[in-house]
Amino acid sequence: MFKLLKRPFLEHSHEVKSPDGRISCKIELKFGKVTYSIKKDNKVVLRDSRLGFKLKGAEPLMDGLMIVRVQESSFDETWERQWGEEKYVRNNYNEVALYLSEMGGDKRLFTVRFRVFDDGVAFRYEFPPQPSFTSLVIADELTEFNVDSNAKAWKIPAYQPDRYEYNYERWPVDALVQSVHTPLTIETPLGDVISIHEAALYNYGSVTLKLNERRVLQTDITPLSDGMRAYVDLPFNTPWRVVMIADSAIGLTQNRMIYSLNPAPRTDIDFSFVEPLKFMGIWWAMFVGEWTWARGDRHGATTEHATEYIDACKRLGIKGLLVEGWNNGWDGDWLQNGSDSDFLHPTEDYDLPNIAHYAKQLGVELIGHNETVGFIDNYEAQLEKAYQYYTSLGIHYIKTGYAGSMMVTGGNREFHHSQIGVRHYQKTVELAAKYGIMLDIHEPIKGTGIERTWPNLLTREGARGQEYEGGALSPSHACILPFTRLLAGGMDYTSGIFDVTNEAKKLRSTLARQLAYYVTIYSGMQMAADRPRFYEEVRPDAYKFIRDVPVSFEKSVPLLGEIGVYYVVARQGRDEANWYIGGVTNEEAHKVRLSLEFLEDGEYIAEIYRDGDDANYRNNQLSIAIESRKVTRNDFLEIWMAPGGGFAVRLVKQ
Ligand code: NOJ
């Protein structure tokens, strides 16, 4: 419904309800200012929250506003994911766009568009082209999220040297005086669980949040080195500001708003080359000190090692092989020397053309590696040539890395999650699409659902992963990720380390838990991160699960969970009748009783990989029980998870 108002509204209150009527969002114009508030089941989720901007060289955009036009609409479509946790996603919302104009001055125009879904609210600012207002320098975005100050937030700090790679902590919202990253998952005093995030982040600084002068959570858009948050030309739409809302933490894990808020892929780009996969790597051997990235006696990326690993991939049924340290630039302190990284020339002991040829003969995908250390000018200067070179060799997957604490560009140091960082990552994704390349981005910009539009972005890191084992990861971390980081999309957690007891990097995990991750931590590229001998010689029985588990799913059914305590999810393999269940617990043991009613009628063989009765992550990590039994949808599975443990189940339809 479209209303061009005869006389503009100077005061107005507009309510939009979710299709199921449970969530309502009220947008109000009072005294020239616009605010919004959200309720669920008539209980407050967000109190009156302000909207607006401070601009450089222009008056703030937040006062003296009137509404000149109101447009209401509804939308309901089910769209298909090329790969992911499920095949179909329903995108169903009621929308209102309020067209605003300043009453005085330059009478600048902008629109706030709200979409109310059954599981949350999203809104964005839209700036149409207009004669006296052609560009914007955002000095500050003043969007508030007025959450109850007694609510508890699961936060990681922003603007830190290790980017998003921090342990989550549960803090009262009232204590968030320093900026934190999104998704920011919050448990409200009324029992709801919400997560504040953003969708479709393009050409803008990413949202971090902190309390403002009114002690209300407000966007603190990541600044550029000159202090400004973004430079944009009109027309321009900001990313969507998203508030996911659920009755429970486990319900939140099903939220797919960020994808639905991104457009479908462009029809002029053929993404049929995109294929998720499992891969091994010349990788963990470097973390445990067997091999090195740098050249020398223990260089990992040699022709000999690569050939051995390609053979192992073939035998183990693993599609891809990552090789790190293959190029010039790793000798000495590579974190300091990143400006010299060379993405076009292999080291002399690594015969790339022949290795690529051999991999191709065996049907193994060689995965390239580009560690930029954040020196993005150096990378961008080589980018197109490098991608051309890789495709000429038949390499279609690249893992990129930005391990520096800041990005270095134009003589400035910029945050990875600033507008400049966002633009850089986007450039790599678009160029990769042009060359038929799929990406796994480490030290990435957080996920905002752009994989819907760019499905060649198969996964990213963007949180502490297993490389932090050996001291910096507690078992609770993997029980927090599904409710926080993973709301922003898949993660390359580098699962499947079987050498859990290695003193050089001892994991706080049981062996069975390593299998659980393939289900609990979704990723479009799933690593079997250990060395092949651990799969072939040490535990081939446990490896069977890694061989069997798919990387794309038909359906996902979150079963049980509490943030930081435990998490269990079931997923049906894409285009197959079999199901997979994964469960993880924190440092405490946990017994779960799972109803199998999500299965279809008929019999299934449950292949169960669980912690042995005496297992624990401290001193009995390798105790695992592998057993199978017949089940139907009327059965329950009772499974005990050891402290720091977990389980994986494959349900094979008979
Ligand atoms: C950090 C990445 O997360 C890791 O996977 C990679 O091996 C190193 N950087 C070196 O690029």
Side-chain angles (χ1 to χ4, degrees), residues 283 287 293 324 330 334 369 371 399 403 442-443 461 467:
W283 188 73
F287 282 86
W293 279 276
E324 294 202 1
W330 290 92
W334 59 269
H369 182 232
E371 175 51 84
K399 171 178 169 182
H442 276 230
E443 300 82 33
E461 188 188 37
E467 63 198 50

Side-chain angles (χ1 to χ4, degrees), residues 12-147:
H12 186 61
S13 171
H14 199 99
E15 194 177 38
V16 196
K17 282 193 186 276
S18 57
D20 69 0
R22 288 185 68 194
I23 296 178
S24 68
C25 177
K26 192 151 122 197
I27 307 121
E28 287 180 280
L29 174 71
K30 259 194 240 156
F31 309 114
K33 290 184 196 296
V34 185
T35 60
Y36 75 101
S37 57
I38 301 175
K39 283 186 178 170
K40 196 189 98 200
D41 298 332
N42 265 324
K43 291 181 301 185
V44 174
V45 176
L46 294 188
R47 296 202 186 84
D48 268 359
S49 305
R50 127 188 120 182
L51 300 172
F53 294 89
K54 277 191 192 151
L55 303 174
K56 186 180 173 193
E59 288 300 308
L61 205 51
M62 58 185 298
D63 295 307
L65 299 170
M66 59 186 181
I67 296 174
V68 291
R69 184 174 146 190
V70 176
Q71 195 173 7
E72 286 178 333
S73 60
S74 294
F75 190 78
D76 190 2
E77 92 178 339
T78 296
W79 58 276
E80 194 176 323
R81 292 180 82 176
Q82 195 173 345
W83 49 268
E85 296 103 314
E86 60 272 303
K87 193 166 191 176
Y88 297 109
V89 175
R90 185 160 177 204
N91 179 14
N92 182 22
Y93 56 80
N94 292 325
E95 175 178 288
V96 66
L98 298 176
Y99 294 78
L100 300 159
S101 167
E102 287 176 311
M103 290 184 260
D106 287 339
K107 297 198 163 49
R108 293 171 298 180
L109 304 170
F110 70 103
T111 301
V112 284
R113 184 178 303 275
F114 279 81
R115 291 184 179 168
V116 185
F117 299 74
D118 287 345
D119 54 357
V121 175
F123 58 93
R124 71 177 180 193
Y125 303 89
E126 300 176 352
F127 298 93
Q130 45 202 297
S132 58
F133 185 34
T134 55
S135 62
L136 283 170
V137 182
I138 311 276
D140 211 353
E141 183 185 313
L142 306 170
T143 307
E144 287 182 340
F145 300 91
N146 197 345
V147 189

Side-chain angles (χ1 to χ4, degrees), residues 145-333:
F145 300 91
N146 197 345
V147 189
D148 190 303
S149 56
N150 291 315
K152 301 287 188 299
W154 290 88
K155 63 101 185 168
I156 49 168
Y159 309 131
Q160 300 299 311
D162 286 331
R163 307 151 304 262
Y164 303 110
E165 296 165 18
Y166 288 88
N167 287 326
Y168 283 87
E169 291 174 14
R170 187 173 182 265
W171 279 29
V173 166
D174 202 24
L176 300 182
V177 289
Q178 306 283 350
S179 297
V180 296
H181 283 298
T182 76
L184 182 68
T185 297
I186 298 174
E187 296 163 310
T188 73
L190 295 176
D192 295 319
V193 185
I194 69 171
S195 194
I196 302 173
H197 190 40
E198 59 183 313
L201 170 58
Y202 290 102
N203 193 21
Y204 201 80
S206 78
V207 167
T208 73
L209 297 165
K210 73 172 182 192
L211 295 178
N212 63 15
E213 68 295 343
R214 309 195 311 141
R215 295 199 78 75
V216 174
L217 269 188
Q218 183 186 303
T219 45
D220 173 22
I221 304 296
T222 305
L224 295 160
S225 52
D226 67 2
M228 294 299 111
R229 317 298 174 126
Y231 289 78
V232 296
D233 291 326
L234 307 195
F236 181 76
N237 300 336
T238 66
W240 292 94
R241 288 24 193 134
V242 180
V243 185
M244 307 175 211
I245 305 172
D247 296 333
S248 64
I250 193 74
L252 193 64
T253 64
Q254 245 172 333
N255 197 296
R256 302 288 182 259
M257 282 170 68
I258 61 161
Y259 297 114
S260 288
L261 288 161
N262 274 275
R266 275 171 30 192
T267 48
D268 59 334
I269 306 179
D270 179 4
F271 283 106
S272 58
F273 66 88
V274 172
E275 212 185 316
L277 92 178
K278 282 176 274 187
F279 65 107
M280 286 206 293
I282 293 192
W283 188 73
W284 192 246
M286 276 85 104
F287 282 86
V288 293
E290 259 172 34
W291 290 345
T292 58
W293 279 276
R295 288 179 300 185
D297 293 350
R298 288 185 296 122
H299 188 203
T302 64
T303 304
E304 194 192 336
H305 293 155
T307 311
E308 280 166 25
Y309 268 57
I310 290 167
D311 290 341
C313 283
K314 179 79 186 161
R315 290 193 301 271
L316 287 162
I318 293 283
K319 187 92 184 140
L321 177 67
L322 165 75
V323 180
E324 294 202 1
W326 68 274
N327 59 322
N328 292 324
W330 290 92
D331 298 344
D333 184 350

